[in-house]
Amino acid sequence: MAGRFEPRAQRLTRTTVRAGDTRVPGTRAAGPTTARTGAPAGTRTDAPAGTRTWTPTTPFDLGLVVGPLRRGPADPTFRVTNGHVWRATRTPEGPATLRIAAKTTGIEAEAWGPGHDWLLDWLPQLLGDADDHTVFTPRHRLVAEVHRRRPGLRLLRTGLVMESLIPSVLEQKVTTDEAYRAWRILVRKYGEQAPGPDGMPDLHVMPDPGTWRMIPSWDWHRAGVDNKRAQTILRAVRVAPRLEEAMALDPEQARKRLELVPGIGPWTSAETIQRSHGAPDEVTVGDLHLPGIIGYALAGERDADDARMLELLEPYRGQRHRAARYILLTGRTPPRRTPKMPKTDIGKL
């Protein structure tokens, strides 16, 4: 009887998943201050190369914070198992794997690989420690309700540009399922096995810029990536060091640098900077669904365009991306009147 009247967890939908809603069973983090230990790095060893405990000072939802990093349920760089979040990435110091869990003592992290020190040093930034969520003020009843129900939302900051840029390019003008499939195929084939303990999930680190440049045209085709998106990625990896330097710029200037690469427009740059910089105001424009979702949620307008979406979000200027995340978390979408966007696989042509 104890749990009979407890509210049910909100059902996951494509809209809430897009907002980063990722379920990670575990205990809410609370406890003492930061601790850190280290050991010599290795590639396949049960003992982590380093560990760290970080304690958030306010309500914190681990799955909701790191959820935007997952590119589909079978993402080869991201996995949730037994209350742990696993993430394989390529840091400035080399490949590394991070395992994070919410415990009663705080957020406990373990890392393996040459880049383990970089990952552990960056852990508070990754988990939104620098995100000042207190400045956000809900202006609509719907937003206020989800803000109350999901107090653990923080905007992560990966500190890495290319790992968010490349999958964002793959998501241009196609369904998410097609983009996730392409990312999965290319990373598994051309990435490297992630360092870590025996028995860990089968994770891969995305290819380095040199490897991306060596992918033959037929493998782009087999992965379902058209020539336009493939060429955009190839142009980006040729100037990868300059794009990574955008981390030293503010979000607006960083977007301008990314958009100097032909094929990268406002949609792609926003989707990248939201993750790399944790930018609270970088709302996505040029999206097929987002204007309609926000227009319907805030004004009952199912056919809102980008201009109308920005008008509705104006009361949240400075925090428009955060507001959009909260609106997506409601799961409210306008009733469908047209067929779904057809899925295509050019690899079969």
Side-chain angles (χ1 to χ4, degrees), residues 130-201:
D131 176 36
D132 185 5
H133 62 94
T134 62
V135 301
F136 181 79
T137 302
R139 305 289 184 182
H140 298 82
R141 183 178 299 177
L142 182 73
V143 178
E145 174 62 19
V146 72
H147 180 260
R148 182 189 64 81
R149 288 191 294 104
R150 307 301 297 269
L153 173 64
R154 302 291 176 272
L155 301 184
L156 60 81
R157 188 171 188 258
T158 67
L160 302 167
V161 173
M162 297 304 295
E163 78 162 15
S164 294
L165 176 62
I166 292 175
S168 295
V169 173
L170 291 175
E171 293 174 9
Q172 294 176 350
K173 306 296 184 180
V174 296
T175 65
T176 52
D177 289 344
E178 293 172 83
Y180 293 159
R181 174 181 175 273
W183 173 249
R184 183 171 65 249
I185 291 173
L186 293 171
V187 171
R188 287 198 177 279
K189 184 165 185 176
Y190 290 99
E192 56 190 278
Q193 187 178 43
D198 292 333
M200 67 174 280

Side-chain angles (χ1 to χ4, degrees), residues 76-264:
T77 69
F78 188 101
R79 201 65 50 84
V80 176
T81 61
N82 301 321
H84 293 86
V85 174
W86 294 81
R87 177 188 177 224
T89 188
R90 185 174 298 280
T91 76
E93 297 176 4
T97 300
L98 184 67
R99 180 169 67 183
I100 322 171
K103 305 292 186 180
T104 55
T105 55
I107 302 297
E108 296 185 0
E110 302 168 293
W112 293 261
H116 77 277
D117 271 331
W118 190 94
L119 272 183
L120 293 176
D121 288 342
W122 195 263
L123 180 69
Q125 294 265 27
L126 174 69
L127 298 180
D129 187 40
D131 176 36
D132 185 5
H133 62 94
T134 62
V135 301
F136 181 79
T137 302
R139 305 289 184 182
H140 298 82
R141 183 178 299 177
L142 182 73
V143 178
E145 174 62 19
V146 72
H147 180 260
R148 182 189 64 81
R149 288 191 294 104
R150 307 301 297 269
L153 173 64
R154 302 291 176 272
L155 301 184
L156 60 81
R157 188 171 188 258
T158 67
L160 302 167
V161 173
M162 297 304 295
E163 78 162 15
S164 294
L165 176 62
I166 292 175
S168 295
V169 173
L170 291 175
E171 293 174 9
Q172 294 176 350
K173 306 296 184 180
V174 296
T175 65
T176 52
D177 289 344
E178 293 172 83
Y180 293 159
R181 174 181 175 273
W183 173 249
R184 183 171 65 249
I185 291 173
L186 293 171
V187 171
R188 287 198 177 279
K189 184 165 185 176
Y190 290 99
E192 56 190 278
Q193 187 178 43
D198 292 333
M200 67 174 280
D202 183 23
L203 296 179
H204 288 69
V205 178
M206 81 166 195
D208 59 33
T211 303
W212 283 110
R213 291 197 297 267
M214 298 300 293
I215 297 178
S217 59
W218 52 86
D219 275 343
W220 290 107
H221 185 80
R222 288 169 180 164
V225 183
D226 58 81
N227 186 63
K228 182 177 180 180
R229 286 180 291 152
Q231 289 301 314
T232 298
I233 292 174
L234 293 176
R235 285 190 290 265
V237 297
R238 291 191 187 105
V239 292
R242 291 288 290 162
L243 297 183
E244 292 291 357
E245 290 173 4
M247 282 307 306
L249 305 175
D250 63 61
E252 183 178 356
Q253 293 301 315
R255 286 189 62 176
K256 289 180 179 179
R257 176 169 293 193
L258 265 58
E259 290 173 18
L260 291 174
V261 179
I264 296 178

Side-chain angles (χ1 to χ4, degrees), residues 10-24 63-75 78 80 146 150 153 156 171 176-177 180 271 274-275 290 293 321 324-333:
Q10 181 180 358
R11 183 173 62 91
L12 286 175
T13 66
R14 285 182 178 269
T15 304
T16 61
V17 167
R18 177 173 179 177
D21 200 0
T22 302
R23 305 295 162 85
V24 183
L64 191 56
V65 173
V66 300
L69 297 178
R70 185 169 75 164
R71 306 289 181 160
D75 185 347
F78 188 101
V80 176
V146 72
R150 307 301 297 269
L153 173 64
L156 60 81
E171 293 174 9
T176 52
D177 289 344
Y180 293 159
E271 290 287 315
Q274 289 166 6
R275 295 169 173 84
L290 188 61
I293 293 172
H321 169 53
R325 287 279 301 274
Y326 279 124
I327 293 167
L328 289 170
L329 281 173
T330 67
R332 293 191 61 179
T333 58

